Amino acid sequence: MKIDVSFSANHFDELQLRDKNIVVIDVLRASTTTIAALAQGAREIIPVANIESAVKISGSLFGEVTLRGGERSGKMIEGFNLGNSPLEYTEATVKGKSIIYCTTNGSVAMSKSRYARNLLIAGFVNMSAVVQSLKELNNDFLILCAGHSGTSGNFSLEDAVCAGMIVTRLQKPELLSLELTDGARAAQALYKSFGRSILKMMKTTDHGKYLVEIGYAGDLEICSGIDTMPVLPQLSGTVIKLKK
Ligand code: MLT
């Protein structure tokens, strides 16, 4: 099993990701919010690459079962129903709903992966479910870190540490024969350096500090929880749903 980690999704396009096994991580906050929405009963997440696509798709879906969620500069997009805080995606709001989802980096990485063979959405909050699924898959895969929004797709420490935690957990117990690329080894080294307190690490990262500044300190607490949302979002057709 070969594990690769890319620290940005910028240099990939759909064709390069086609038929690959992919894990998308955007801990702050798109992957965590996707996991939270589905854990709270959303029917599906429809990731799109830009606002124009979100508007276009909304027009072709029934209004009462569809919500638009996402962000620009961390804040809700005008005309959308929801922002990008996992705390907004409550059962009362999202149960049974299809969510057209547009964020700066996370939904773009998910949308680019729509022709993947397998696509899993990972965060700290569903760590064990992701690791278990990758063990069962027992095949090569690429972890695609979405990066953060300061400058689109920039290296993001919290995503790299999360990727490193997946790699480390797959190594124990040593049942699988793993081949790690330089990216996977670098992610693992970062997890070993910064993984002791995930919340503490997040509070010092570029995007973590930005989210605190714009009033989302509570999101860091949610996004740093380990196994607090034990569900597995995966690609189903061209949308993301929970694995049954
Ligand atoms: C993104 O997709 O870039 C992020 O999820 C931004 C955010 O924190 O809302």
Side-chain angles (χ1 to χ4, degrees):
M1 184 198 264
K2 184 173 171 183
I3 309 179
D4 193 9
V5 176
S6 171
F7 297 108
S8 169
N10 276 359
H11 49 283
F12 286 101
D13 63 28
E14 291 156 3
L15 287 181
Q16 290 163 307
L17 300 175
R18 192 183 189 107
D19 288 331
K20 291 206 165 20
N21 298 312
I22 297 171
V23 179
V24 166
I25 297 178
D26 184 359
V27 168
L28 291 175
R29 297 166 288 177
S31 66
T32 308
T33 298
T34 297
I35 299 161
L38 291 167
Q40 292 301 315
R43 183 182 140 81
E44 61 195 7
I45 301 290
I46 307 170
V48 293
N50 51 52
I51 299 176
E52 293 68 41
S53 305
V55 173
K56 208 163 141 190
I57 293 175
S58 312
S60 61
L61 295 172
F62 293 114
E64 66 275 19
V65 292
T66 307
L67 296 173
R68 277 185 272 185
E71 56 72 43
R72 281 296 178 263
S73 304
K75 299 171 191 161
M76 190 163 90
I77 300 165
E78 210 186 313
F80 275 39
N81 312 91
L82 294 157
N84 199 28
S85 167
L87 292 167
E88 291 174 64
Y89 291 68
T90 60
E91 188 177 353
T93 309
V94 303
K95 194 162 186 189
K97 301 279 166 72
S98 295
I99 300 169
I100 299 166
Y101 189 53
C102 178
T103 71
T104 312
N105 300 291
S107 76
V108 179
M110 293 175 204
S111 168
K112 281 183 179 180
S113 310
R114 66 182 179 275
Y115 303 120
R117 178 171 310 225
N118 290 289
L119 166 64
L120 305 179
I121 308 299
F124 292 107
V125 294
N126 69 342
M127 178 58 60
S128 296
V130 169
V131 169
Q132 183 54 35
S133 173
L134 291 169
K135 278 184 182 162
E136 285 162 17
L137 183 68
N138 197 6
N139 214 320
D140 300 351
F141 69 92
L142 165 69
I143 301 180
L144 203 51
C145 298
H148 75 78
S149 349
T151 313
S152 268
N154 254 9
F155 175 85
S156 139
L157 183 61
E158 63 276 8
D159 290 348
V161 170
C162 185
M165 190 169 181
I166 293 175
V167 175
T168 302
R169 291 217 179 174
L170 278 169
Q171 282 180 321
K172 286 183 237 154
E174 284 116 12
L175 296 174
L176 303 167
S177 130
L178 299 184
E179 182 190 339
L180 306 185
T181 63
D182 288 357
R185 290 172 61 202
Q188 194 173 33
L190 289 169
Y191 170 63
K192 285 189 177 145
S193 298
F194 294 99
R196 201 179 288 267
S197 167
I198 303 297
L199 180 58
K200 208 164 143 194
M201 173 272 297
M202 259 182 205
K203 284 180 175 166
T204 66
T205 65
D206 295 338
H207 196 53
K209 285 191 282 193
Y210 175 70
L211 287 173
V212 171
E213 207 177 287
I214 62 169
Y216 289 110
D219 286 6
L220 271 59
E221 310 258 350
I222 298 293
C223 297
S224 60
I226 295 170
D227 286 335
T228 47
M229 303 177 198
V231 296
L232 191 65
Q234 62 176 9
L235 190 67
S236 166
T238 53
V239 302
I240 294 167
K241 291 186 174 190
L242 278 195
K243 185 175 180 177
K244 291 273 181 314

